[in-house]
Amino acid sequence: MALGATTYKTPNIINQIGSDMTSKEGCGVYLSGPNAVEIASTAQAPPYAVIVTGTDSLTPGTYPSLIGDASLEMVDQLGCVVQVLISSAAGVVAGDFLLIDNTDADGTFTSVSNQPAAAVDFVWGMALTEANSGEQCLMRFQPYLQQV
């Protein structure tokens, strides 16, 4: 889990956010620039991490902007199990492959059975539990790029 300016996975020091991440627990983020993450709004956004504890910037309403040390927590380690938020589209069942919901465009996840993965879409991982829309489920964070 990355804690603000501390991370064990990469030399990236995440100290900027591209939007308000308060109450975005379980949503996917991507690297939007040097030391910056942003909510993944489409399935084409390259997976970086899933938010565990959200935050706002030191200057709310101005983005991208700096965040306080250790105020944003994310799971970014491949193979980790993380709780993700399911979109408003439909529920998921264990074994479904999950990607960012293009319709909600808010970092929430949907199943490839609800939104088929197109070429250049990223599948973020596999659901390990069932969840209805708007609920959280467990997902193994193992992203890959859909080729066909």
Side-chain angles (χ1 to χ4, degrees):
M1 176 178 327
L3 301 173
T6 309
T7 182
Y8 56 85
K9 177 185 149 202
T10 67
N12 291 319
I13 297 173
I14 304 303
N15 59 15
Q16 293 184 50
I17 55 176
S19 61
D20 183 358
M21 295 187 181
T22 306
S23 302
K24 289 292 188 175
E25 290 79 7
C27 292
V29 296
Y30 72 99
L31 283 174
S32 58
N35 308 328
V37 293
E38 193 166 330
I39 296 292
S41 59
T42 70
Q44 292 81 33
Y48 180 71
V50 176
I51 299 172
V52 175
T53 303
T55 189
D56 200 355
S57 71
L58 295 175
T59 54
T62 304
Y63 306 102
S65 57
L66 296 174
I67 57 173
D69 286 346
S71 60
L72 178 65
E73 298 180 23
M74 302 177 287
V75 170
D76 60 356
Q77 184 70 34
L78 297 177
C80 280
V81 174
V82 61
Q83 270 189 296
V84 296
L85 185 59
I86 302 305
S87 73
S88 63
V92 300
V93 296
D96 281 355
F97 290 100
L98 304 179
L99 67 164
I100 298 295
D101 189 327
N102 290 329
T103 304
D104 284 1
D106 60 359
T108 56
F109 293 86
T110 191
S111 167
V112 295
S113 62
N114 301 326
Q115 174 184 300
V120 306
D121 281 355
F122 286 92
V123 173
W124 287 55
M126 183 172 53
L128 301 176
T129 57
E130 289 187 16
N132 293 320
S133 61
E135 295 181 347
Q136 291 192 339
C137 78
L138 292 178
M139 177 188 78
R140 180 171 308 284
F141 183 58
Q142 231 161 335
Y144 67 89
L145 178 63
Q146 181 71 22
Q147 298 294 321
V148 178

